[in-house]
Amino acid sequence: MKRLTNPRRFATALLVGLLLVVGVGFVHRHLRVKQVEAEIRRVQAEIQAVQARNQRLQELIDYMNSPEYVEKVAREKLRLVMPGETVYKIAEPQDFPAPYDIPQTNPKP
């Protein structure tokens, strides 16, 4: 192996080596910046999704606190009525007694 005895060759080799180290460091940092930017975009998309969900939930809370919803639940689930209202219940077929069993007479031929 030939030794670098010439100071100019030594300086050139040192400069090339230094440029390689700096170049590799620059590429590594550039790739890291791209990774961080992608992570930022992902987190921002996640934040937007959570904010949209929060908005929908807040609208649901507002609706459930409204007088209309409270009245609907009181009527449908608790079977409550407003003062002065009359409730009419429609009887279902199973609510009626079975008709009397009348034996049919079959004339004998």
Tab-separated table of all heavy atoms in Angstrom, residues 1 12-13 15 19-20 39-40 42 47 58 60 67 70-71 76 82 84 89 91 97 101 103:
chain	number	residue	atom	x	y	z
A	1	MET	N	0.845	-1.163	0.000
A	1	MET	CA	0.000	0.000	0.000
A	1	MET	C	0.895	1.232	0.000
A	1	MET	O	1.862	1.312	0.731
A	1	MET	CB	-0.893	-0.039	1.234
A	1	MET	CG	-1.845	1.103	1.271
A	1	MET	SD	-2.889	0.954	2.701
A	1	MET	CE	-4.430	0.981	1.937
A	12	THR	N	-6.189	16.410	0.404
A	12	THR	CA	-7.275	16.035	-0.503
A	12	THR	C	-8.035	14.833	0.057
A	12	THR	O	-9.276	14.819	0.066
A	12	THR	CB	-6.734	15.707	-1.904
A	12	THR	OG1	-6.001	16.826	-2.385
A	12	THR	CG2	-7.858	15.378	-2.867
A	13	ALA	N	-7.349	13.843	0.533
A	13	ALA	CA	-7.993	12.653	1.097
A	13	ALA	C	-8.781	13.031	2.348
A	13	ALA	O	-9.903	12.551	2.570
A	13	ALA	CB	-6.948	11.590	1.419
A	15	LEU	N	-10.054	15.978	3.006
A	15	LEU	CA	-11.211	16.765	2.557
A	15	LEU	C	-12.295	15.855	1.979
A	15	LEU	O	-13.476	16.028	2.282
A	15	LEU	CB	-10.783	17.798	1.521
A	15	LEU	CG	-11.869	18.737	1.023
A	15	LEU	CD1	-12.435	19.543	2.182
A	15	LEU	CD2	-11.321	19.653	-0.047
A	19	LEU	N	-15.992	15.448	3.522
A	19	LEU	CA	-17.186	15.660	2.699
A	19	LEU	C	-18.103	14.437	2.734
A	19	LEU	O	-19.333	14.583	2.757
A	19	LEU	CB	-16.804	16.001	1.265
A	19	LEU	CG	-16.241	17.411	1.048
A	19	LEU	CD1	-15.781	17.576	-0.397
A	19	LEU	CD2	-17.255	18.468	1.411
A	20	LEU	N	-17.531	13.253	2.742
A	20	LEU	CA	-18.353	12.042	2.842
A	20	LEU	C	-19.093	11.986	4.174
A	20	LEU	O	-20.287	11.666	4.224
A	20	LEU	CB	-17.484	10.794	2.672
A	20	LEU	CG	-17.083	10.443	1.244
A	20	LEU	CD1	-16.094	9.287	1.253
A	20	LEU	CD2	-18.304	10.086	0.430
A	39	GLU	N	-44.953	12.080	10.357
A	39	GLU	CA	-45.578	11.874	11.664
A	39	GLU	C	-46.472	13.068	12.022
A	39	GLU	O	-47.573	12.886	12.550
A	39	GLU	CB	-44.485	11.687	12.731
A	39	GLU	CG	-45.009	11.477	14.127
A	39	GLU	CD	-45.644	10.124	14.341
A	39	GLU	OE1	-45.542	9.244	13.477
A	39	GLU	OE2	-46.273	9.945	15.402
A	40	ILE	N	-46.015	14.260	11.709
A	40	ILE	CA	-46.825	15.461	11.966
A	40	ILE	C	-48.120	15.406	11.167
A	40	ILE	O	-49.203	15.690	11.696
A	40	ILE	CB	-46.020	16.737	11.655
A	40	ILE	CG1	-44.932	16.952	12.710
A	40	ILE	CG2	-46.935	17.958	11.570
A	40	ILE	CD1	-43.951	18.045	12.378
A	42	ARG	N	-49.670	12.745	10.091
A	42	ARG	CA	-50.501	11.688	10.662
A	42	ARG	C	-51.206	12.165	11.933
A	42	ARG	O	-52.409	11.956	12.105
A	42	ARG	CB	-49.656	10.449	10.966
A	42	ARG	CG	-50.480	9.253	11.432
A	42	ARG	CD	-49.615	8.124	11.963
A	42	ARG	NE	-48.908	8.474	13.172
A	42	ARG	CZ	-49.464	8.543	14.389
A	42	ARG	NH1	-50.738	8.295	14.556
A	42	ARG	NH2	-48.733	8.868	15.441
A	47	ILE	N	-55.908	14.343	14.887
A	47	ILE	CA	-56.519	15.443	15.642
A	47	ILE	C	-57.813	15.888	14.974
A	47	ILE	O	-58.833	16.101	15.649
A	47	ILE	CB	-55.531	16.624	15.779
A	47	ILE	CG1	-54.408	16.270	16.755
A	47	ILE	CG2	-56.243	17.893	16.231
A	47	ILE	CD1	-53.263	17.256	16.775
A	58	GLN	N	-70.846	16.458	20.917
A	58	GLN	CA	-71.399	17.662	21.529
A	58	GLN	C	-72.796	17.948	20.976
A	58	GLN	O	-73.695	18.336	21.729
A	58	GLN	CB	-70.483	18.869	21.281
A	58	GLN	CG	-70.939	20.119	22.000
A	58	GLN	CD	-71.000	19.934	23.509
A	58	GLN	OE1	-70.056	19.471	24.130
A	58	GLN	NE2	-72.123	20.288	24.111
A	60	LEU	N	-74.858	15.672	19.921
A	60	LEU	CA	-75.722	14.671	20.542
A	60	LEU	C	-76.073	15.070	21.974
A	60	LEU	O	-77.231	14.953	22.398
A	60	LEU	CB	-75.049	13.300	20.522
A	60	LEU	CG	-75.830	12.155	21.140
A	60	LEU	CD1	-77.147	11.924	20.399
A	60	LEU	CD2	-74.992	10.887	21.150
A	67	PRO	N	-85.516	20.082	25.361
A	67	PRO	CA	-86.849	19.707	25.845
A	67	PRO	C	-87.543	18.695	24.923
A	67	PRO	O	-88.283	17.840	25.398
A	67	PRO	CB	-87.607	21.033	25.857
A	67	PRO	CG	-86.565	22.096	25.875
A	67	PRO	CD	-85.369	21.512	25.188
A	70	VAL	N	-86.211	15.212	25.820
A	70	VAL	CA	-86.697	14.803	27.138
A	70	VAL	C	-88.168	14.383	27.046
A	70	VAL	O	-88.578	13.359	27.599
A	70	VAL	CB	-86.509	15.935	28.166
A	70	VAL	CG1	-87.186	15.605	29.482
A	70	VAL	CG2	-85.017	16.208	28.378
A	71	GLU	N	-88.966	15.150	26.300
A	71	GLU	CA	-90.382	14.798	26.139
A	71	GLU	C	-90.531	13.483	25.386
A	71	GLU	O	-91.345	12.634	25.752
A	71	GLU	CB	-91.124	15.909	25.398
A	71	GLU	CG	-92.601	15.622	25.239
A	71	GLU	CD	-93.333	16.737	24.508
A	71	GLU	OE1	-92.807	17.847	24.384
A	71	GLU	OE2	-94.455	16.449	24.038
A	76	GLU	N	-92.098	7.859	25.207
A	76	GLU	CA	-91.847	6.541	24.628
A	76	GLU	C	-91.332	5.519	25.648
A	76	GLU	O	-91.760	4.365	25.633
A	76	GLU	CB	-90.844	6.664	23.479
A	76	GLU	CG	-91.409	7.421	22.288
A	76	GLU	CD	-90.376	7.629	21.186
A	76	GLU	OE1	-89.232	7.144	21.321
A	76	GLU	OE2	-90.717	8.299	20.199
A	82	MET	N	-98.621	14.461	29.061
A	82	MET	CA	-98.694	15.842	29.524
A	82	MET	C	-100.023	16.043	30.263
A	82	MET	O	-101.010	15.359	29.972
A	82	MET	CB	-98.611	16.812	28.332
A	82	MET	CG	-97.292	16.742	27.579
A	82	MET	SD	-95.895	17.307	28.533
A	82	MET	CE	-96.117	19.065	28.421
A	84	GLY	N	-103.586	17.073	31.091
A	84	GLY	CA	-104.714	17.369	30.214
A	84	GLY	C	-104.824	16.445	29.014
A	84	GLY	O	-105.811	16.497	28.291
A	89	LYS	N	-105.529	3.467	24.439
A	89	LYS	CA	-104.732	2.269	24.187
A	89	LYS	C	-105.502	1.388	23.233
A	89	LYS	O	-106.654	1.050	23.481
A	89	LYS	CB	-104.459	1.524	25.489
A	89	LYS	CG	-103.585	0.310	25.294
A	89	LYS	CD	-103.278	-0.375	26.604
A	89	LYS	CE	-102.439	-1.611	26.316
A	89	LYS	NZ	-102.217	-2.396	27.507
A	91	ALA	N	-106.253	-2.049	21.763
A	91	ALA	CA	-106.115	-3.419	22.223
A	91	ALA	C	-105.537	-4.284	21.117
A	91	ALA	O	-105.881	-4.159	19.951
A	91	ALA	CB	-107.464	-3.961	22.663
A	97	PRO	N	-110.534	-12.040	24.901
A	97	PRO	CA	-110.690	-13.449	25.289
A	97	PRO	C	-110.974	-14.286	24.040
A	97	PRO	O	-111.518	-13.811	23.054
A	97	PRO	CB	-111.885	-13.434	26.235
A	97	PRO	CG	-112.612	-12.174	25.942
A	97	PRO	CD	-111.606	-11.200	25.408
A	101	ASP	N	-115.626	-22.027	22.497
A	101	ASP	CA	-115.486	-23.170	21.610
A	101	ASP	C	-116.862	-23.805	21.447
A	101	ASP	O	-117.410	-24.383	22.382
A	101	ASP	CB	-114.519	-24.208	22.191
A	101	ASP	CG	-113.088	-23.719	22.108
A	101	ASP	OD1	-112.795	-22.915	21.188
A	101	ASP	OD2	-112.282	-24.124	22.954
A	103	PRO	N	-118.800	-26.572	19.634
A	103	PRO	CA	-118.557	-27.747	18.809
A	103	PRO	C	-119.461	-27.719	17.574
A	103	PRO	O	-120.607	-27.335	17.641
A	103	PRO	CB	-118.895	-28.923	19.714
A	103	PRO	CG	-119.694	-28.340	20.829
A	103	PRO	CD	-119.407	-26.891	20.905
